[in-house]
Amino acid sequence: DEVCYENMGCFTDDRPWAGTAERPVARLPWSPERIAARYLLYTPQNKEDFQQISTDKDVIASSNYNPSFKTRFILHGFIDKGDEHWLSNMCKLMLSVEDVNCICVDWKKGSQTLYTQAASNIRVLGAEIAYMISIFKDHFNQGPENVHVIGHSLGAHCAAEVGRRTPGLSRITALDPAEPYFQGCPELVRLDPSDAKFVDVIHSDALPFLPYLGFGMSQAVGHIDFYPNGGDHMPGCDKNIISTIVDLDGIWEGTRDFVACNHLRSYKYYSDSIQNPEGFVGYPCNDNKMFQNGQCFPCPNSDCPLMGHYADTFKLPSGGQKLKFFLNTGDARPFDRYRYKVTVTIDGSRTVTGYMKVALYGSQSNTRQYEVHSGFLKPGKTYDVFIDTDNDVGDIIYVKFIWNNNMINPLLPKFGATKILVTRGHDRRDLVSRGSHVTSNVLKNIVLPPCSHSEAKS
Amino acid sequence: APSEKGIIINLDNGNLCVLSAQCKSSCCHRRSATSLARCAPKSAETHKCSAKVRSLYGSYYFCPCEDGLKCDTDWSIGGSITNTNFGVCVDPNAPKSSAA
């Protein structure tokens, strides 16, 4: 059967909306009044306190809404609520870097119910937002090419519904789009590249819902799909239960993480990307295994997309869609990371067992020490490792090398790095350093500043 | 796959701890006197540090330095008792000029 709402159109629960393998339960969406979505507007004039607007042009006209600024909607997902601080935080971060009409959509009345009902309510919510965008166009002369919809979980498929009803919508960002009732469904029902001019997706909980309780989709559904840390297990989400619940940001944040840590990471990465754009470079690759063992490195002709807020600065190859990108992130905020390949050729008096580390030094800052190898250190052998440093040291000036074998070495073996090659991932800058030869087991060996920057092409 | 995750020992960074001996990084880091302590990585060069104390007792306001670095602390009187002697990790071998 069917239900119709003013300005929204009619909604049926016939196939493919229900009665299919992926969508067994049929539920008609609630009315806009019952969902009671609240639109909380933040602008450069009101960065701290929202103004509540609605699909009434007079209310919009009397607010700080400015049609010359880009408009971005942020939608939460299942069980979540709009005045949850991650939405307003995201708006405040955006306002710190750009002039924007940032609208947090609070549809908690429609999302805090049975999942199958919430998954149906997003159809009406999407129609309402599309109606608001049509008001922007008709009464304020702001076209959909200046509107961007960001949705988390169920909110991502709601954004798809907005896009389906708004030809020319500029961009949809899907933060871990929900899997149950959407993955494997026809494009009409779920997010797909046709829903906006540019669709970028972050997958952070892509394991199957059954049996792993992975809430997010693994299926690529955008023009470009990012799989941070492989998309299944996010670093920092495998803390023991006590440490998860007693979170830095308090028990409530900890409980949310306990329930869906991986799933929530997607919006945390997006928020972090707003002020750290260079820290989320995505590398094109077929799968995570290939990426982690270094096959998809460095960026082909220095042209990799940036996961998150600045993903739309990537020049999409014409007709390109469902392109997959991989990257590693941090295990706690700030999540940005900078990928390097380090190749070390060592020399010494004899083979020892132990470990060796390197640290990269730029003009202003330096990185932590990262282990290149542990085990047999054979003179003359070359070892390489991929590292994701937690700060961007800019142009590397020199590298420090250290080795240790946790043993007293009566013979005081001499060990050194005869050559270190460092390749920066996002723009393929190579650095070759000649090591000075003599070292002892603990003391640091300062590798001389590089002879030339791109002398050796690996 | 992540190595075995302990509740008590062999803890990865971010887990709650009481003694530094519980942490893989051997640094149980506390932001302030009242905050809970969590395992954290050792401090890198130019970062703040606590002078490393041989016994891995209790937690630190700043982690000890990484391999090969020394925590250049300005010794305060009560330093060793209340673990408040902080400094900056420096490379003892760095020729003074290039370290500047």
Side-chain angles (χ1 to χ4, degrees):
Chain A
D1 43 23
E2 190 179 56
V3 68
C4 300
Y5 300 116
E6 192 202 348
N7 297 321
M8 305 290 139
C10 296
F11 303 85
T12 161
D13 61 3
D14 302 340
R15 300 169 69 86
W17 295 103
T20 63
E22 292 82 11
R23 291 179 148 240
V25 177
R27 292 241 188 272
L28 282 174
W30 290 348
S31 68
E33 293 70 28
R34 185 169 179 192
I35 295 173
R38 294 164 59 223
Y39 297 88
L40 315 178
L41 171 67
Y42 292 89
T43 69
Q45 282 79 32
N46 61 311
K47 289 183 177 173
E48 292 307 320
D49 308 308
F50 61 79
Q51 291 179 325
Q52 188 161 342
I53 60 173
S54 68
T55 51
D56 171 342
K57 64 176 172 30
D58 302 330
V59 171
I60 299 174
S62 64
S63 74
N64 289 336
Y65 164 77
N66 182 333
S68 62
F69 298 157
K70 187 176 280 228
T71 299
R72 300 188 200 272
F73 288 87
I74 306 178
L75 283 70
H76 63 77
F78 181 51
I79 300 216
D80 213 343
K81 50 188 170 54
D83 42 23
E84 186 61 44
H85 49 71
W86 72 263
L87 291 96
S88 51
N89 278 354
M90 195 180 275
C91 275
K92 286 167 191 157
L93 283 168
M94 283 181 198
L95 286 164
S96 74
V97 296
E98 62 183 3
D99 285 340
V100 63
N101 305 304
C102 191
I103 304 173
C104 298
V105 180
D106 173 16
W107 58 289
K108 61 171 173 283
K109 289 204 171 65
S111 84
Q112 292 175 350
T113 170
L114 292 175
Y115 179 80
T116 48
Q117 185 59 56
S120 174
N121 290 344
I122 59 166
R123 296 167 65 189
V124 165
L125 181 65
E128 189 171 57
I129 295 172
Y131 177 53
M132 183 180 278
I133 295 173
S134 71
I135 292 173
F136 291 158
K137 185 173 164 205
D138 303 341
H139 297 283
F140 300 89
N141 204 9
Q142 171 173 51
E145 66 285 358
N146 284 317
V147 177
H148 171 204
V149 184
I150 303 167
H152 174 243
S153 184
L154 272 185
H157 296 294
C158 181
E161 193 61 21
V162 176
R164 194 168 67 80
R165 292 160 174 271
T166 313
L169 182 64
S170 164
R171 178 183 173 191
I172 288 176
T173 298
L175 304 175
D176 216 21
E179 173 192 331
Y181 271 62
F182 294 97
Q183 175 139 314
C185 295
E187 292 186 348
L188 168 70
V189 169
R190 63 169 169 78
L191 178 65
D192 66 274
S194 72
D195 288 325
K197 275 192 285 185
F198 183 75
V199 179
D200 57 299
V201 186
I202 299 178
H203 300 267
S204 62
D205 193 14
L207 280 179
F209 183 67
L210 299 175
Y212 301 106
L213 268 185
F215 297 111
M217 298 174 100
S218 54
Q219 182 186 4
V221 287
H223 291 102
I224 60 177
D225 284 64
F226 294 92
Y227 293 81
N229 313 297
D232 297 345
H233 297 291
M234 298 303 112
C237 284
D238 50 7
K239 298 202 289 272
N240 55 46
I241 299 168
I242 317 157
S243 307
T244 301
I245 290 187
V246 182
D247 188 77
L248 287 173
D249 301 333
I251 304 286
W252 168 242
E253 190 58 34
T255 316
R256 284 166 61 88
D257 265 357
F258 174 66
V259 171
C261 182
N262 292 323
H263 194 43
L264 306 182
R265 277 293 200 267
S266 49
Y267 66 67
K268 294 183 181 181
Y269 295 155
Y270 187 94
S271 290
D272 252 27
S273 72
I274 295 171
Q275 291 184 334
N276 306 289
E278 298 304 323
F280 297 91
V281 172
Y283 293 82
C285 207
N286 290 340
D287 61 55
N288 189 49
K289 208 153 85 50
M290 281 171 65
F291 171 70
Q292 297 301 347
N293 55 41
Q295 281 160 287
C296 307
F297 184 94
C299 281
N301 44 59
S302 308
D303 179 23
C304 277
L306 302 169
M307 180 173 84
H309 195 57
Y310 304 97
D312 56 353
T313 57
F314 178 64
K315 211 169 57 47
L316 200 61
S318 68
Q321 49 175 241
K322 299 182 181 158
L323 308 175
K324 290 190 174 184
F325 296 90
F326 292 79
L327 65 153
N328 287 330
T329 70
D331 54 7
R333 194 171 289 133
F335 294 103
D336 54 318
R337 286 294 183 269
Y338 305 86
R339 194 161 175 83
Y340 294 90
K341 175 180 182 182
V342 180
T343 307
V344 180
T345 308
I346 57 174
D347 197 0
S349 40
R350 56 177 171 69
T351 301
V352 282
T353 58
Y355 60 81
M356 59 171 167
K357 297 182 177 177
V358 284
L360 312 179
Y361 287 73
S363 48
Q364 278 88 29
S365 63
N366 59 281
T367 71
R368 212 173 280 295
Q369 292 172 0
Y370 291 90
E371 185 171 286
V372 176
H373 183 68
S374 75
F376 287 107
L377 305 182
K378 292 195 188 67
K381 198 162 184 299
T382 298
Y383 300 88
D384 58 36
V385 71
F386 289 87
I387 60 174
D388 298 283
T389 69
D390 47 28
N391 59 350
D392 182 4
V393 295
D395 287 338
I396 302 168
I397 295 175
Y398 57 92
V399 175
K400 285 193 181 178
F401 164 87
I402 184 166
W403 73 278
N404 195 340
N405 59 1
N406 303 335
M407 278 189 296
I408 322 288
N409 294 291
L411 304 175
L412 284 179
K414 294 287 177 287
F415 240 91
T418 54
K419 184 177 139 193
I420 293 186
L421 169 66
V422 178
T423 306
R424 187 161 64 188
H426 71 84
D427 64 357
R428 195 188 162 74
R429 285 286 314 287
D430 288 340
L431 161 92
V432 179
S433 305
R434 291 280 170 271
S436 67
H437 193 74
V438 176
T439 180
S440 72
N441 64 341
V442 171
L443 285 177
K444 195 166 296 299
N445 170 6
I446 300 176
V447 179
L448 295 179
C451 326
S452 75
H453 265 271
S454 46
E455 174 203 345
K457 279 277 171 273
S458 57
Chain B
S3 62
E4 77 296 338
K5 295 189 291 302
I7 305 274
I8 313 293
I9 57 163
N10 210 352
L11 297 178
D12 286 327
N13 292 338
N15 280 300
L16 293 174
C17 53
V18 177
L19 295 176
S20 290
Q22 293 177 271
C23 303
K24 278 188 189 149
S25 68
S26 42
C27 173
C28 185
H29 170 243
R30 177 192 305 279
R31 287 174 196 262
S32 65
T34 54
S35 74
L36 293 171
R38 293 171 187 276
C39 292
K42 286 187 176 169
S43 295
E45 189 167 351
T46 73
H47 286 82
K48 285 211 178 77
C49 54
S50 300
K52 188 153 189 204
V53 180
R54 256 144 318 284
S55 69
L56 291 167
Y57 79 92
S59 54
Y60 295 95
Y61 289 122
F62 296 106
C63 284
C65 297
E66 290 182 316
D67 292 355
L69 298 172
K70 192 173 72 62
C71 189
D72 202 353
T73 62
D74 38 352
W75 281 89
S76 58
I77 305 138
S80 61
I81 304 159
T82 55
N83 186 357
T84 54
N85 47 358
F86 312 128
V88 171
C89 294
V90 295
D91 176 358
N93 298 311
K96 275 296 160 260
S97 59
S98 88

